[in-house]
Amino acid sequence: MNIQMVDLKGQYLKIKEEIDLALLECIESTNYIKGPQVKTFEEHLTNYLDTSCAITCANGTDALQIAFMALELNQGDEVIVPAFTYVATAEAIALLKLVPVMVDVDKETFNISVDEIEKAITSKTKAIVPVHLYGQSSDMEAIMKLAGKYGLFVIEDNAQALGAEYKFSDGTIKKTGTIGHIGCHSFFPTKNLGCFGDGGAITTNDPDLAERCRMISTHGQKRKYYHELIGCNSRLDSIHAAVLEVKLKYLDKYIAIRQKAAEYYYKNLCDIPWVTLPHKADYAVHSFNQFTLKVNNNKRDELQQYLKEKDIPSIIYYPLPLYKQPAFQQYSPVNFTLENTEVLCNSVLSLPMHTELTEEIQDKIIHTIKAFQ
Ligand SMILES: *Cc1c(COP(=O)(O)O)cnc(C)c1O
């Protein structure tokens, strides 16, 4: 049995005919840039998310950069981010000479702590970036309320959570990435909706922001060769849009499979005393891009090594807080630490999670973990 973190080949084989046809059509059309596939996919993504506008771009990191460029903030303005996230969340902020202000996360949900956000707000704060880590929504209702109180933008880093949902206290349900002012999405192959390379998108309900994002993603122009803004060249290739157009139809099914696999892990790993299973917040419908354990006996690295010896892959997302990354030293005072972030960096371990997982594969993973001393 060959156990993988993600089985992209298995997923492809199930829809091979449809995908191959779409790819061939794209190749033969030679409309490789801004082909009709891109427009169609943008429309269907807009409908899927029930938002007003989707602008595709080259990757999720660019989506964040374009979003921040569109906000037209000033050098030195502060943007609040969780310290426990992928580096891309803070990268665009720093590149644009804004200041990423790192705050601690909730130790149960792994997502940015709303109390810590409020403590970090200063007169220079302009935006908050909630990251829906591992596929579960941050507490968006509380974050939007705080943002309203202080007049801040909210940019959702939805790279890991496309298709996840947030339940408001009045019962309204919205897809993550559509609640803040801008949502940033990634189609990296291992994300919930992955293409055959890099891809990304920006979504917003604000027509002015939408127009600026679209212009920025294509050299700051509305009309070819007339440049109103400084932009960049960040496009989703037609060939990736063709793949995504096919796969978007299956996204809800893919998420349901992930949720079912997660339930199987919950059911069978719940009695291990040294493991904490991922917390499901009441307000969230988790999309389980990752299934991430907390290993509480200080033996996380040993467990990972042991699993590796038994041919079971696992990944540590993420071993180092943002403030300990050499590239981000300038944004944190010496000896800066955040308690929950530190604990998580030392205890999290993500197990294989993908759309082709079977109970047979999971049984092997479960039995092996249970036999670890
Ligand atoms: C993957 C990811 C990104 C960046 O997406 P790319 O498409 O790889 O550039 C940003 N933020 C988070 C939290 C991610 O997981």
Side-chain angles (χ1 to χ4, degrees), residues 46-272:
T46 304
N47 296 345
Y48 175 81
L49 289 172
D50 192 17
T51 181
S52 34
C53 189
I55 299 130
T56 52
C57 63
N59 54 67
T61 308
D62 277 9
L64 287 156
Q65 181 176 328
I66 292 164
F68 278 104
M69 288 170 80
L71 296 181
E72 301 183 309
L73 304 181
N74 296 312
Q75 191 168 334
D77 283 348
E78 294 175 358
V79 179
I80 296 176
V81 299
F84 186 62
T85 182
Y86 182 54
V87 69
T89 309
E91 217 163 28
I93 298 165
L95 271 175
L96 295 170
K97 307 236 180 295
L98 307 169
V99 178
V101 174
M102 304 162 200
V103 307
D104 212 356
V105 293
D106 180 274
K107 64 179 187 295
E108 291 198 318
T109 64
F110 311 120
N111 281 329
I112 195 162
S113 152
V114 181
D115 292 342
E116 296 305 314
I117 296 175
E118 187 155 25
K119 286 187 213 157
I121 292 172
T122 72
S123 58
K124 286 191 170 172
T125 308
K126 293 290 153 57
I128 307 166
V129 188
V131 179
H132 307 310
L133 204 70
Y134 306 145
Q136 175 166 244
S137 183
S138 303
D139 188 355
M140 289 308 293
E141 184 161 1
I143 291 170
M144 293 314 290
K145 202 171 148 204
L146 201 59
K149 179 169 159 194
Y150 292 96
L152 308 176
F153 288 111
V154 175
I155 309 302
E156 295 177 73
D157 182 340
N158 198 41
Q160 298 184 7
L162 191 66
E165 290 173 334
Y166 182 85
K167 295 185 244 178
F168 286 82
S169 49
D170 69 358
T172 315
I173 295 180
K174 282 192 183 175
K175 289 267 193 318
T176 56
T178 68
I179 302 162
H181 301 88
I182 304 182
C184 298
H185 315 267
S186 166
F187 307 120
F188 185 82
T190 63
K191 308 283 166 132
N192 288 347
L193 178 65
C195 59
F196 290 177
D198 277 308
I202 301 140
T203 51
T204 177
N205 287 310
D206 178 323
D208 296 331
L209 281 176
E211 179 168 55
R212 274 212 296 285
C213 286
R214 192 172 289 286
M215 286 169 70
I216 290 165
S217 72
T218 175
H219 300 294
Q221 65 191 1
K222 259 187 272 186
R223 195 173 145 208
K224 215 168 184 185
Y225 307 124
Y226 292 82
H227 307 277
E228 294 171 45
L229 300 170
I230 304 281
C232 53
N233 173 17
S234 184
R235 294 181 289 230
L236 180 72
D237 296 326
S238 309
I239 212 151
H240 296 308
V243 171
L244 291 167
E245 174 65 12
V246 172
K247 287 177 74 174
L248 181 60
K249 292 192 301 243
Y250 299 101
L251 180 56
D252 282 341
K253 187 177 144 201
Y254 290 159
I255 289 173
I257 296 172
R258 288 175 180 279
Q259 289 165 336
K260 188 159 170 263
E263 287 316 313
Y264 198 71
Y265 277 139
Y266 277 112
K267 192 174 104 195
N268 292 286
L269 292 171
C270 64
D271 55 359
I272 307 180

